[in-house]
Amino acid sequence: MRRHEPIAAALLAWRLFLAAALLAAPGAVWAQSPPAFTPREENPEEFPAGPGRDDTFYACTACHGFKLVAQQGMNRRQWEEILQLMNEKHGMAALEGKERETVLNYLEATFPPRTPAGGGWQNPFSNR
Ligand code: HEC
C-alpha cells in the first residue's frame, strides 16, 4: 500500500525524534523513568498543602484522579461516608487506624463544605 508510506515515514521520524530526545536528556535511562509524555498525570503538589496530603493523594489516585476528590466540599461525616462508599461499592481497601485519621483530617480540613451553615446549596452526598 504505497499510500501509507508517508505515514510510516512520519512515524519512524517521530520515533527517532523521541529516542534522540530521551538519549539527549541528561541522566535519562530507559529503565529508569517512563517517557515524559504523560500530561494527564496529576501530582500531589497541585493540591492544597496540609498534613496527610500525599497519603490521601496516593490512597485515592489508585483508582481515579484527585480532582474528583478536590472538587467536593464536605464535612467529616460526609467524607467518612465517601470512604465507606469507596470501600463497599468500589472495592477500595478499607482505611484503618492512623491512616484513616490522616486521610479524614486532610479531607475535612482541605475540602470543607463550601456554603456557610444554613446556606442554600445542599451537598448531594448529604442524606440528613
Ligand atoms: C478501589 C478504587 C477506588 C479508590 C482507591 C478510591 N475510589 Fe473514589 N471512586 C471509585 C470509583 C470507581 C468511582 C466512581 C467512578 C468515577 O466517577 O470515576 C469513585 C468516585 C469517587 C467520588 C465521586 C462520587 C460520585 O458518586 O460521583 C468521590 C468523591 C471519591 N471517589 C472519593 C474518593 C476518595 C476521597 C478516595 C481516597 C480516600 C477514593 N475515592 C479512592 C473508586 C475508588
Side-chain angles (χ1 to χ4, degrees), residues 69-87:
V69 177
Q71 75 197 10
Q72 317 286 333
M74 289 184 274
N75 64 31
R76 189 178 184 92
R77 190 178 57 80
Q78 292 165 326
W79 278 118
E80 283 174 351
E81 285 169 10
I82 284 288
L83 294 194
Q84 199 178 339
L85 182 81
M86 292 305 120
N87 173 230

Side-chain angles (χ1 to χ4, degrees), residues 9-57:
L11 268 177
L12 181 64
W14 175 240
R15 288 200 194 106
L16 286 172
F17 169 76
L18 279 185
L22 278 168
L23 288 174
V29 180
W30 287 106
Q32 194 183 43
S33 53
F37 294 89
T38 47
R40 283 174 58 234
E41 205 164 278
E42 295 176 330
N43 180 313
E45 273 83 56
E46 292 168 36
F47 298 96
R53 177 186 65 187
D54 292 8
D55 292 325
T56 310
F57 179 87

Side-chain angles (χ1 to χ4, degrees), residues 56 59-60 62-64 68-69 72 74 79 82-83 85-86 90-92 95 103 107 125:
T56 310
C60 307
C63 295
H64 50 68
L68 183 67
V69 177
Q72 317 286 333
M74 289 184 274
W79 278 118
I82 284 288
L83 294 194
L85 182 81
M86 292 305 120
H90 298 311
M92 179 179 85
L95 297 172
V103 166
L107 291 172
F125 295 111

